[in-house]
Amino acid sequence: MGEKEGEKKYTIEDLPGVGEATAEKLRENGYDDLMTLAVASPKDLSEVCGIGEGAAIKIISAARKYADVGNFETGGEQILERRREIQKLTTGSKNLDGLLGGGLETQAITEFFGGEFGSGGKTQIMHQLAVNATMPKEKGGFDADVLIIDTENTFRPERIVQMARAKDLDSDNVLRRIHVARAYNSHHQILLAEKALEMAKEFPIRLLIVDSLTSHFRSEYMGRGGSLAERQQLLNRHMHDLLKFGTINNAVIAVTNQVSARPDVFFGDPMAPIGGNIVGHTATFRIYLRKAKGGKRIARLIDSPHLPEGETVIQVTEDGITDGGV
Ligand code: GTP
Ligand code: MG
């Protein structure tokens, strides 16, 4: 695509300082093409692949020069321009929007994590975001379509109808704009994320939801006793596919994750989000949710590079996500 006759097609081996061993390391960690590297952060690249940050910067800027995928920009300047196009999607709660500096950012991954079995209200928030993305811009939406990758079979159209009506939206129209794909296992989930790029050519998708990001990865790993390194690599690659989607389509990526109830068997610390560092490095915004009294949930922003840490209260009601008061 976009390649002229006789024009050289670059691979990651053409990047400065990338020999066979580094190329392998990059590929293993999901940085398998120029586009993925072009949108990577130097810090992530350096930590994940064990190279110096200076070397990572060189690799990324060369990747930006060489990347020639479809109508995607080639130079660093255009990428900066793209950063200026960032928009914010409302969560429905002024408290939570405020915590996030105005809402969920496009071109970034926002992770909602918390305990299992309804304690977090994560799936409820995903439903609300889907409805909100279809709303007009003056109401904090994108007037856009939504793609949900549903791994736990928890998508409920009836909830969309309730939430849409509460916002005086035509619920049929909202439902038509929400495309749902069930993912039956982690490989299927990865495939769906890749296919999402094609779907976005047909529909104006500006919100991609993965609920839950890690459940298949966890159960397959526990069930088969498979290799942890392999799982982590697949998850990392998947996260990069999601980020790529967000960058190319100026879309919000919202994912859910659970804290591990069995610290000994999966990915490290007690009460740590599943996927550990892999998910943490790639998600730009991470929100920890926990249950409070009376249907309220406390949302805490963790490790954000640009925003202060803080907590706020939201509420899950029949009408959807609202402020929880103080
Ligand atoms: P896991 O996926 O199991 O980790 O949970 P989750 O964090 O996704 O939780 P989920 O969003 O499924 O939250 C379910 C909770 O939302 C329920 O226990 C209710 O408290 C609340 N909820 C769901 N629907 C309604 C509704 O129509 N009205 C009200 N008031 N609350 C609701
Ligand atoms: Mg859920």
Side-chain angles (χ1 to χ4, degrees), residues 123-143:
T123 296
Q124 294 300 311
I125 295 173
M126 297 304 114
H127 281 70
Q128 186 71 62
L129 290 170
V131 170
N132 294 357
T134 71
M135 292 196 304
K137 293 188 178 118
E138 52 292 0
K139 284 177 131 182
F142 291 163
D143 188 17

Side-chain angles (χ1 to χ4, degrees), residues 63-104:
R64 287 175 182 182
K65 247 183 246 147
Y66 296 161
D68 185 26
V69 184
N71 55 8
F72 193 69
E73 310 85 350
T74 49
E77 220 164 88
Q78 282 105 317
I79 291 190
L80 271 180
E81 193 61 42
R82 200 128 248 252
R83 296 285 309 162
R84 286 187 207 111
E85 287 170 20
I86 285 176
Q87 286 172 291
K88 288 174 182 177
L89 175 65
T90 182
T91 61
S93 153
K94 286 198 180 66
N95 286 347
L96 187 51
D97 286 356
L99 190 69
L100 285 163
L104 270 71

Side-chain angles (χ1 to χ4, degrees), residues 115-118 121-124 126-127 152 154 211-212 256 258:
E116 291 170 85
F117 313 118
K122 302 181 291 292
T123 296
Q124 294 300 311
M126 297 304 114
H127 281 70
E152 299 185 308
T154 50
D211 183 13
S212 130
T256 68
Q258 280 147 348

Side-chain angles (χ1 to χ4, degrees), residues 19-195:
E20 218 171 283
T22 308
E24 192 177 321
K25 193 98 198 136
L26 290 170
R27 288 211 169 86
E28 266 174 19
N29 288 290
Y31 298 101
D32 55 353
D33 62 11
L34 295 175
M35 171 69 91
T36 309
L37 283 164
V39 300
S41 94
K43 189 165 167 281
D44 290 352
L45 191 61
S46 124
E47 280 177 20
V48 174
C49 297
I51 54 176
E53 214 164 308
I57 290 169
K58 276 192 196 130
I59 289 173
I60 290 167
S61 56
R64 287 175 182 182
K65 247 183 246 147
Y66 296 161
D68 185 26
V69 184
N71 55 8
F72 193 69
E73 310 85 350
T74 49
E77 220 164 88
Q78 282 105 317
I79 291 190
L80 271 180
E81 193 61 42
R82 200 128 248 252
R83 296 285 309 162
R84 286 187 207 111
E85 287 170 20
I86 285 176
Q87 286 172 291
K88 288 174 182 177
L89 175 65
T90 182
T91 61
S93 153
K94 286 198 180 66
N95 286 347
L96 187 51
D97 286 356
L99 190 69
L100 285 163
L104 270 71
E105 276 192 7
T106 59
Q107 304 181 39
I109 297 176
T110 302
E111 175 198 353
F112 291 86
F113 70 104
E116 291 170 85
F117 313 118
S119 60
K122 302 181 291 292
T123 296
Q124 294 300 311
I125 295 173
M126 297 304 114
H127 281 70
Q128 186 71 62
L129 290 170
V131 170
N132 294 357
T134 71
M135 292 196 304
K137 293 188 178 118
E138 52 292 0
K139 284 177 131 182
F142 291 163
D143 188 17
D145 284 27
V146 178
L147 177 59
I148 301 180
I149 299 176
D150 178 11
T151 74
E152 299 185 308
N153 201 15
T154 50
F155 176 74
R156 296 288 174 272
E158 310 81 39
R159 269 309 263 157
I160 297 292
V161 170
Q162 277 179 328
M163 290 177 180
R165 287 193 180 142
K167 293 209 176 276
D168 288 324
L169 302 168
D170 173 349
S171 57
D172 284 341
N173 190 41
V174 171
L175 278 175
R176 253 195 305 276
R177 303 195 79 170
I178 301 174
H179 312 267
V180 183
R182 261 311 292 288
Y184 294 98
N185 56 51
S186 64
H187 288 280
H188 190 206
Q189 181 179 336
I190 288 167
L191 190 72
L192 288 170
E194 288 168 5
K195 290 255 188 259

Side-chain angles (χ1 to χ4, degrees), residues 297-313:
R297 306 288 193 286
I298 297 163
R300 176 170 189 81
L301 184 69
I302 312 256
D303 293 341
S304 166
H306 319 292
L307 295 166
E309 285 220 352
E311 276 190 357
T312 194
V313 186

